[in-house]
Amino acid sequence: MTTDTPARLLTLLSLLQTPREWPGGELAGRLGVSRRTVRRDIDRLRELGYPVQATRGSDGGYRLVAGKAMPPLVLDDEEAVAIAVGLRAGAGHAVEGVDEASVRALAKLEQVLPARLRHRVSTLQAATTPLVSGDGASIAPETLTVMASTVAGQERLRFSYRAGDGTETRRLTEPHRLVSTGRRWYLVAYDLDRADWRTFRVDRVSEPFATGARFAPRELPTGSAAEYLRQSMHRQQETYEFSVTFAESADVVAQRLPAWLGAPEPLGDGGCRLRASTGDRLEWLAVRLLMTGFEFVVREPAELVDRVRELGARLSRAAGDA
């Protein structure tokens, strides 16, 4: 019999989180208490925000159902390991749809995992290789979780940073937000040594270290980390406005293009047009359009027309054509 009420409630909650209906007698037997005690414990869980539904009759019992808010979960060892491994696999790549919330969840989970479970997660992670698509660089999940923890805790972050030209520097920052573009992760932070806001590509960060020193949040010039990153990338890169038409419908083409390139717009002839801007190299954009597998025509700019023409000639030579 479990006489410790908090421990008994946690055990009861763990049982109820199994997707089935539990007869009161079975719960009483599992917990070693009376049916009356089970009913009182169910009432306590409801007071804590857990939506426990009861059904009457000989076949009735208790079931945990969806509610209006997300109460804390109780996970067994296998469930905790499975979730942590899944979050690590997703967080290590800037996959569209896996944003800062996923990294925060991973940081919270790994913070409370016992050492034996953290070891199991690391072992599984080291023994598996995810097959991912896209052009984003891989990132160590530990790097993201350290950064996410310092963002949430308003704690200064120190790390090594490799610039685009290969220069290595040490940075001391006040981290503001992690931003995913669908291809890469970026950290928006206030650089204390340079006394200004900066953006950092997370795949170029190494040895992140939470200093333990707290800071009062500063006001970002643009108000939004995503907008600041967009403006920063625009300042750093030469951007091109481009227009491309496809003979296929907009819905079909959209399935073959990354969302960050923009949404194709339907045309009256059943085809579609993609109009957007990019700071990527035009050679890469030409290859990305070719990878859709659809016939397309570049309308502008002239530089992209030239790159597509050069790519076509190169592919023809590679195929042995005269």
Side-chain angles (χ1 to χ4, degrees), residues 14 19-20 45 66 82 97 105 207 269 291-292:
S14 180
R20 55 162 287 194
L45 289 179
E207 303 175 3
D269 59 1
M291 287 171 60
T292 63

Side-chain angles (χ1 to χ4, degrees), residues 1 7 28 36 90 135 156 178 197 204 219 238 260 266 271 275 284 294:
M1 176 178 178
R36 181 179 179 182
D135 307 289
R156 287 180 177 175
L178 282 165
W197 289 93
R204 293 178 177 171
E219 185 176 353
E238 184 177 7
W260 52 264
R275 292 191 295 188
W284 183 93
F294 300 133

Side-chain angles (χ1 to χ4, degrees), residues 9 43-50 71-72:
L9 286 176
D43 288 339
R44 290 190 181 99
L45 289 179
R46 287 169 175 160
E47 291 172 0
L48 292 172
Y50 293 95

Side-chain angles (χ1 to χ4, degrees), residues 23-58:
E26 186 175 350
L27 287 176
R30 290 285 192 108
L31 299 173
V33 297
S34 66
R35 288 173 179 256
R36 181 179 179 182
T37 299
V38 169
R39 288 194 295 271
R40 287 203 302 266
D41 287 348
I42 292 292
D43 288 339
R44 290 190 181 99
L45 289 179
R46 287 169 175 160
E47 291 172 0
L48 292 172
Y50 293 95
V52 182
Q53 184 181 73
T55 55
R56 299 183 180 278
S58 57

Side-chain angles (χ1 to χ4, degrees), residues 54-252:
T55 55
R56 299 183 180 278
S58 57
D59 296 328
Y62 301 97
R63 175 190 297 272
L64 196 62
V65 298
K68 296 181 180 179
M70 179 69 184
L73 297 175
V74 176
L75 305 172
D76 61 29
D77 286 3
E78 283 68 27
E79 292 167 342
V81 169
I83 291 174
V85 169
L87 286 172
R88 274 172 161 245
H93 301 268
V95 179
E96 189 173 351
V98 181
D99 56 11
E100 185 187 347
S102 302
V103 180
R104 289 201 311 270
L106 178 60
K108 289 178 181 178
L109 181 58
E110 294 204 342
Q111 182 179 10
V112 298
L113 279 179
R116 70 179 192 282
L117 296 188
R118 285 200 299 271
H119 177 70
R120 286 178 59 183
V121 170
S122 298
T123 301
L124 280 171
Q125 188 76 14
T128 58
T129 300
L131 178 63
V132 297
S133 59
D135 307 289
S138 297
I139 302 168
E142 292 84 357
T143 298
L144 283 171
T145 54
V146 170
M147 288 184 165
S149 297
T150 56
V151 168
Q154 296 174 2
E155 185 177 352
R156 287 180 177 175
L157 176 70
R158 189 185 298 277
F159 54 85
S160 295
Y161 190 70
R162 175 177 50 82
D165 60 4
T167 304
E168 295 274 355
T169 56
R170 290 289 291 176
R171 303 297 184 97
L172 178 62
T173 65
E174 295 178 352
H176 180 74
R177 284 291 186 276
L178 282 165
V179 182
S180 172
T181 65
R183 295 175 61 210
R184 295 189 178 97
W185 283 100
Y186 290 85
L187 173 69
V188 176
Y190 188 83
D191 191 320
L192 291 168
D193 294 327
R194 290 153 181 79
D196 199 3
W197 289 93
R198 291 289 190 271
T199 60
F200 303 94
R201 270 180 49 174
V202 178
D203 59 297
R204 293 178 177 171
V205 169
S206 61
E207 303 175 3
F209 174 72
T211 65
R214 306 289 178 177
F215 64 88
R218 302 172 189 264
E219 185 176 353
L220 195 64
T222 60
S224 163
E227 177 61 21
Y228 182 82
L229 175 62
R230 188 192 68 78
Q231 293 184 15
S232 176
M233 294 174 69
H234 182 79
R235 289 193 301 268
Q236 295 173 13
Q237 299 174 337
E238 184 177 7
T239 59
Y240 294 90
E241 301 285 336
F242 67 92
S243 175
V244 180
T245 56
F246 294 86
E248 301 290 336
S249 68
D251 291 341
V252 172

Side-chain angles (χ1 to χ4, degrees), residues 245-305:
T245 56
F246 294 86
E248 301 290 336
S249 68
D251 291 341
V252 172
V253 172
Q255 294 176 10
R256 301 284 185 90
L257 289 172
W260 52 264
L261 265 182
E265 54 190 53
L267 296 176
D269 59 1
C272 67
R273 175 173 52 197
L274 177 64
R275 292 191 295 188
S277 62
T278 181
D280 288 303
R281 294 173 56 196
L282 289 181
E283 289 85 351
W284 183 93
L285 179 59
V287 172
R288 195 63 188 81
L289 293 170
L290 185 65
M291 287 171 60
T292 63
F294 300 133
E295 297 288 333
F296 64 91
V297 177
V298 177
R299 304 298 179 182
E300 57 182 21
E303 293 90 340
L304 181 55
V305 174

